[in-house]
Amino acid sequence: MTRYTIRYQNPLTHFVQFEVQINDLSCKHTDLSLPSWRPGRYQIQNFAKNIKGFKVENTSGEALKFTKTTKDSWRVALNGSNTIVVKYAFFAFAMDAGNSWLDDEQLYLNFVNCCIYAEDKLNAPCEVHLELPESYRVACGLKKLDKHKLYAPNYYQLVDSPMMASASLRHITYTHSQTNYHIWIQGELPKTDADVISDFEAFTQKEVEIMGELPCEDYHFLFQCLPYKHYHGVEHWNSTVITIGPSEELSERKLYKEFLGVSSHELFHTWNVIRLRPKEMVPYNFQAENYHTTGYITEGITTYYGDLILMRSGVFSFEEYVEELNKLLMRHFENDGRSNYSVAESSWDLWLDGYEKGIPGRKVSIYNEGALAALILDLSIRSKFNNEKSLDDVMRLMWARHGQDMSGYTDADYRAIVEEVYEAQFDQYFDELLFGTADYKEWLTPLFEKFGLRLLELPKDNGIEHNYGFKTQDQLVTAIAAGSHAETMLSLKDKIEQTEETENGLKLTIDRFGVKKTVTVQQGELFYFLTPELNSLMINQNNPLLKGWLELA
């Protein structure tokens, strides 16, 4: 048993005090670690940088010697002790869906950030004792032993179960198919309980219909509705944390639609990636990169289903769903990385360069590219079998063979199931779209036509962008089209101070890292930054394939 006692003194310092008692140790030494990364974000994050005052004692309070062996691991000499107490302070002052926060109104912890573990006790039970104000309620997916006491059967489940505690938590509940769903809200959500339940019940029912019973007895949505702009969500064993804002704008459809979108996405993760995982993540290795190429499944398919389910359940209108498809198309076609790096390679390299934009034209997003690849696969199967088969069948087989027992899957496992459903080899799809850099438009255009959709290429409203091939924000050059004349005249981060149309082109006065220059950019023969998009007014909603795909009445 490992017991975590968590307390704090002055919440405005944002330091949380941890006292970790680890029992039943039997060797001469034990190795302690803090995770280097967290599931749901495939990037080394170095949480140990937030720890101070680390010390180890026996049960009599005598100090035990330890040596730091890596940036987030310690080897402790037990000196005859079979129980140790580890003490440290953790700085909880990062507000997003994957970090931790303490202030005078709440305690919010992702245990994966801040709970050390003994290497040989990963499968031992854990208890969490929270020393909180009496008025605080606790929202968490873990079993409650008492009002402020939690239990996890092992460390893996502990760190996959974030918690929020405050005196102002709003709690909304609903039940579907013998599962109790809890919506916990810290902050303001200007929607009635009935409105929220109506939408959540609808997409919950559709996800369960596709994948089968939710594989947990209860599920918790933990929302941080923030007063400033924010958007982030992270999936967990039987819960999710979602941070979103500004909260006052949740009364408007635009942001509330994002609220619903991320909620649907994270719930689908309960099957896809929490339990249906790449073989490389069974079990999680918390101390090193868990390299895998299948981000197009873990995040791509989930991103595709997140919005599709809202459409099929009636939560999104047809026009709203087309708008989300156009966002995917825009992000894809405006990223030159699609010509240089496959989505499989980009999945692997998340561990290298994280979620930052990266150097120009290097990589693509496993979320965005994976979602479009899933769309192409779904439409390919549906068009071949007249909607009698679909990606739903692929995911149900994946779940039955590799998810229910959490055995994990490989690229080859996924390919085999896709080809089983498709009833033919599908090498071109895998080689060109997942492991290659083929033009998605060559696949999308004919598929969309079969479903009554038309893909148009339209110039931007901004004439400088589509005529001259560069983009600016706050006067700074942020993007330059490959092959444009601008590419020979401008640099990223050039500051445009003056613009003048001339016979020879666009005359620019620029500040390049402190040096004033005058350059002339010539107009190209073709438009730049053209983005294919679907026009909802040019769609045949009576197309039988379209109606079957989106479950239109």
Side-chain angles (χ1 to χ4, degrees), residues 14 64 81 307 309 428 501 516:
H14 313 291
L64 296 176
S81 299
D307 291 329
I309 285 164
Q428 189 178 5
E501 292 271 8
K516 303 291 183 181

Side-chain angles (χ1 to χ4, degrees), residues 290-360:
N290 292 206
Y291 292 112
H292 60 282
T293 58
T294 47
Y296 58 85
I297 301 174
T298 58
E299 295 297 347
I301 287 179
T302 303
T303 298
Y304 172 62
Y305 269 112
D307 291 329
L308 178 64
I309 285 164
L310 292 172
M311 172 67 227
R312 288 166 64 178
S313 62
V315 176
F316 274 9
S317 68
F318 177 74
E319 290 74 20
E320 287 174 333
Y321 183 61
V322 171
E323 181 183 348
E324 295 306 314
L325 285 180
N326 280 330
K327 288 179 185 178
L328 293 176
L329 293 168
M330 178 191 69
R331 291 168 188 153
H332 171 75
F333 286 105
E334 290 192 351
N335 179 9
D336 289 337
R338 71 184 187 278
S339 301
N340 301 311
Y341 227 45
S342 73
V343 65
E345 291 173 303
S346 295
S347 176
W348 185 280
D349 270 16
L350 271 179
W351 295 99
L352 168 65
D353 50 15
Y355 291 69
E356 290 74 29
K357 185 177 180 180
I359 64 174

